[in-house]
Amino acid sequence: ETGVTQTPRHLVMGMTNKKSLKCEQHLGHNAMYWYKQSAKKPLELMFVYNFKEQTENNSVPSRFSPECPNSSHLFLHLHTLQPEDSALYLCASSQAPGARKTQYFGPGTRLLVL
Amino acid sequence: EDQVTQSPEALRLQEGESSSLNCSYTVSGLRGLFWYRQDPGKGPEFLFTLYSAGEEKEKERLKATLTKKESFLHITAPKPEDSATYLCAVQAGETSGSRLTFGEGTQLTVNP
């Protein structure tokens, strides 16, 4: 595996379900990110992790719970989601958080909440 | 608040017909402007980073330029495989850290 991988690629869940998204980066980076991409809207930053520590939470509802056990893995735990949470969820990584550090993205998980 | 506006929203070109995409930004202290390409159902793919006005970068048929208010992505003699959504993002401010503010993108279609 190379770059940034995400699983599953597609997910359909009911509003009462609990599911998790997984991201793994093979680039030796120290920072990882979760973004949300909704139709006709710009990418929205959700969370930032640096060396496993959360450094930014962009006012994300508590039904989204991130976890970063090490610098290579990032999870997004989902529970009691709403239909408006349906979107493409993208994971990214960079050498470290900060200016001029390029973020590299995974392929995303397409989430549909029924 | 940082703002990024991309135009046009959509662009159709014939193969070989050169054109430019625009990214206008309003930020406090630009630290970097990033261009990405995104194919349907995939994550954004990094193309270029520009740091200061006057800077230019090229890759194959693509050339990115930067002024104090906007960036252009010039596409020379495009091919159908250049069809994608092109995203612009800025990083700004002393305390912004790694935060990227994205535009809505330009959807490019190149017809054979």
Side-chain angles (χ1 to χ4, degrees):
Chain A
E1 293 281 14
T2 59
V4 181
T5 59
Q6 292 186 242
T7 56
R9 294 295 311 279
H10 301 273
L11 179 63
V12 180
M13 60 187 289
M15 289 190 286
T16 58
N17 291 158
K18 289 184 179 181
K19 297 286 184 182
S20 295
L21 310 184
K22 178 182 176 182
C23 173
E24 183 173 1
Q25 60 93 3
H26 309 268
L27 300 170
H29 290 164
N30 300 312
M32 298 188 77
Y33 311 78
W34 278 117
Y35 284 86
K36 175 182 179 182
Q37 187 175 34
S38 304
K40 302 297 184 183
K41 293 179 69 175
L43 270 78
E44 302 172 61
L45 179 66
M46 299 175 72
F47 303 102
V48 181
Y49 277 83
N50 181 29
F51 289 97
K52 305 187 299 179
E53 299 297 321
Q54 186 180 126
T55 56
E56 190 160 350
N57 176 337
N58 194 24
S59 302
V60 179
S62 60
R63 57 185 183 271
F64 295 91
S65 176
E67 178 189 0
C68 189
N70 55 62
S71 293
S72 298
H73 295 86
L74 185 64
F75 295 88
L76 189 62
H77 304 298
L78 316 171
H79 63 97
T80 59
L81 294 191
Q82 304 299 311
E84 59 264 30
D85 296 322
S86 299
L88 181 67
Y89 288 85
L90 292 161
C91 173
S93 70
S94 68
Q95 284 186 324
R100 302 190 171 197
K101 297 297 190 295
T102 299
Q103 295 179 24
Y104 295 89
F105 287 82
T109 294
R110 175 69 65 184
L111 173 66
L112 177 62
V113 181
L114 300 176
Chain B
E1 183 179 332
D2 300 337
Q3 289 191 331
V4 179
T5 303
Q6 291 189 246
S7 61
E9 185 176 322
L11 180 63
R12 285 187 175 274
L13 300 173
Q14 288 298 122
E15 184 172 2
E17 179 187 2
S18 301
S19 188
S20 297
L21 313 182
N22 177 263
C23 172
S24 299
Y25 60 89
T26 304
V27 299
S28 176
L30 179 73
R31 309 194 72 181
L33 186 141
F34 299 78
W35 281 100
Y36 288 85
R37 167 194 171 128
Q38 187 173 23
D39 292 297
K42 297 187 177 182
E45 174 189 346
F46 171 70
L47 294 174
F48 304 109
T49 308
L50 302 167
Y51 296 115
S52 56
E55 189 174 1
E56 299 182 351
K57 288 193 177 174
E58 287 188 67
K59 179 182 179 180
E60 296 181 353
R61 295 177 293 281
L62 301 177
K63 179 180 178 180
T65 62
L66 180 65
T67 72
K68 290 186 177 180
K69 295 182 178 180
E70 58 192 349
S71 176
F72 290 94
L73 184 65
H74 305 279
I75 304 177
T76 302
K79 298 182 178 181
E81 53 261 43
D82 294 322
S83 297
T85 295
Y86 290 85
L87 302 174
C88 169
V90 297
Q91 200 175 57
E94 293 297 324
T95 59
S96 68
S98 54
R99 173 181 291 272
L100 289 178
T101 301
F102 280 84
E104 295 189 14
T106 293
Q107 185 174 355
L108 174 66
T109 303
V110 182
N111 296 313

